[in-house]
Amino acid sequence: MDVAVYSGSFNPLHIGHLAIIKHLIYKAGFDAVYLIVSPKNPLKDNISSGSALERYKAAEEAVARHFNSADRMVLVDDIEITMPEPHYSINTLEALQRREPDNSFTLIIGADNLADIRRWKDYGRILSEYGVAVFPREGYGLDKIKQDFLCENPAYKIRLIDAPLVTVSSTEIREARSKGEDVSHLLM
């Protein structure tokens, strides 16, 4: 089975995440999407790992509202919640591969993350052993970024996802909430 590993803090999950998940399933051809709620990104300080269970439960509820549980195409996975910190993507991918050796895993990231992936632990292994599927982000030229990586190593697996640009962000939603604005129409 070809599994898209879509990891993030999802604080909160929003309609942009939903659009990406639907695109992965219905257009990009993945057999399943594993939505991995990450307790804490090692490169960011803006979230407490203590909120991970709350975000995980919210993700389960959101996925249940939008996807039929019988088809099992979208699974909210707690693998990172049970792993010790720091939560490096390579560790998550390795744990998934050990748990499900017959599946093939591809990490889903935005163009902003691809541009910054050299800061990630064992990024070369992620790109060569698992690969990434990359969504467009405003201000990032995906073709140029991909070319730069392929010049570094032609064996890197970088798949560009031809999808509409998602402009909503969790940060903007949190900021709007803090001002008392209604953001319910943006939530997944």
Side-chain angles (χ1 to χ4, degrees), residues 21-24 29 63 91 95 126 131 133-134 138 146 166 168 171:
I21 293 167
K22 285 183 175 181
H23 194 90
L24 292 168
V63 166
N91 296 348
I126 293 170
V134 188
E138 192 170 352
K146 179 180 177 179
V166 172
V168 62
T171 302

Side-chain angles (χ1 to χ4, degrees), residues 14-142:
H14 54 66
I15 58 174
H17 296 125
L18 179 60
I20 290 170
I21 293 167
K22 285 183 175 181
H23 194 90
L24 292 168
I25 291 291
Y26 303 119
K27 302 237 170 122
F30 286 96
D31 298 312
V33 173
Y34 287 6
L35 193 67
I36 311 280
V37 175
S38 184
K40 184 164 180 59
N41 181 328
L43 297 176
K44 295 181 181 177
D45 293 330
N46 63 348
I47 194 163
S48 162
S49 60
S51 68
L53 277 177
E54 181 180 311
R55 290 181 282 116
Y56 173 79
K57 288 177 184 170
E60 281 187 314
E61 292 168 4
V63 166
R65 282 192 300 273
H66 294 279
F67 298 95
N68 181 346
S69 63
D71 62 27
R72 305 289 293 159
M73 292 188 324
V74 181
L75 170 74
V76 181
D77 197 310
D78 67 351
I79 194 163
E80 281 195 5
I81 292 173
T82 62
M83 293 171 62
E85 290 187 29
H87 298 100
Y88 294 122
S89 295
I90 189 64
N91 296 348
T92 303
L93 291 164
E94 288 173 337
L96 287 167
Q97 197 68 70
R98 278 191 305 275
R99 186 179 80 187
E100 302 171 26
D102 293 334
N103 287 342
S104 170
F105 297 97
T106 302
L107 187 65
I108 308 305
I109 60 175
D112 53 331
N113 285 317
L114 182 61
D116 198 38
I117 203 168
R118 286 184 177 94
R119 293 179 53 209
W120 295 22
K121 182 180 185 324
D122 294 334
Y123 79 89
R125 287 190 52 223
I126 293 170
L127 294 175
S128 60
E129 294 175 26
Y130 298 95
V132 292
V134 188
F135 274 87
R137 293 294 296 256
E138 192 170 352
Y140 293 88
L142 275 178

Side-chain angles (χ1 to χ4, degrees), residues 147-174:
Q147 246 350 89
D148 289 346
F149 277 101
L150 293 180
C151 286
E152 179 181 316
N153 185 340
Y156 284 163
K157 301 173 196 168
I158 302 172
R159 177 178 168 191
L160 304 182
I161 301 292
D162 184 23
L165 190 64
V166 172
T167 57
V168 62
S169 80
S170 294
T171 302
E172 291 169 354
I173 291 171
R174 288 192 307 274

